[in-house]
Amino acid sequence: MTAFKDRLAAGKPLFGLWQALANNYTAEICARAGFDWLMFDGEHAPNTAQTLLAQLQATAPFPIDAIARVPLADPVAIKQYLDIGFTTLLIPMLDSAQQARDAVAASRYPPVGIRGVASATARATGFGADPAYLRELDSRLTLIVQIESRAALEDIDAIAAVDGVDALFIGPADLSASLGHLGNPGHPEVQAAITHARERIAAAGKPAGIFGLSPEDAQRRVEEGFAFISIGTDIGLLTKGAATLLASVAR
Ligand code: 3PY
């Protein structure tokens, strides 16, 4: 399958859905719907490596990119998520170019990086049946880092320039909190920061992604040049669908 970074380079906006239910049935249903990508959240959702693996297996028959957000920029989490077969990772709460370089190193084998080799036992290598994985890793992986703090904004040019950082993703909720506007991503200071970040990412020649606050917000982000946009969450869909269904019958 084409690496996510190569799909991004093709220039067509890619729409995704956030998966926070940590459930392989809902993952399969959402993959079947035809999103370009699904984001399996290991940072905030109640996921374990086992639940992530089940969701990855459930969505494998569908032409979507399965992206996993690691809990933090931790080499062990990065190694384990890659070993179970994710080829696209989102690294949250990353504040500096040094942390970005460390995340890249955690995802690559020596001598470039520090990732341990589980060649015969990793699902990523087909349990050893796909040794080309070791050689072709660079072309298969897509590493996305999140820009969601004042510190990251201040170091954004250096973060975007890191070799091995394939794309940058803006998290409006955490960015709002970091800028002193908790719960208010629409605040003009937050919106100005998002515009600034998008411009700096574009100047570095890297694709930018963002969490859309609504379908309308997501559409606006496409027009602004964002390459990949989350347009909702599995929880949001179920919440809205359940309320709409109940409201459709008279008691
Ligand atoms: C944020 O908005 O802060 C995110 O990380 C996306 O959920």
Side-chain angles (χ1 to χ4, degrees), residues 18 43 69 146 148 169-175 211:
W18 220 260
E43 184 194 15
R69 177 159 76 172
Q146 275 199 262
E148 49 183 352
F169 187 89
I170 298 169
D174 280 306
L175 190 56
F211 188 89

Side-chain angles (χ1 to χ4, degrees), residues 162-188:
V162 171
D163 201 23
V165 166
D166 299 300
L168 295 89
F169 187 89
I170 298 169
D174 280 306
L175 190 56
S176 312
S178 178
L179 295 178
H181 305 293
L182 176 65
N184 187 9
H187 190 282

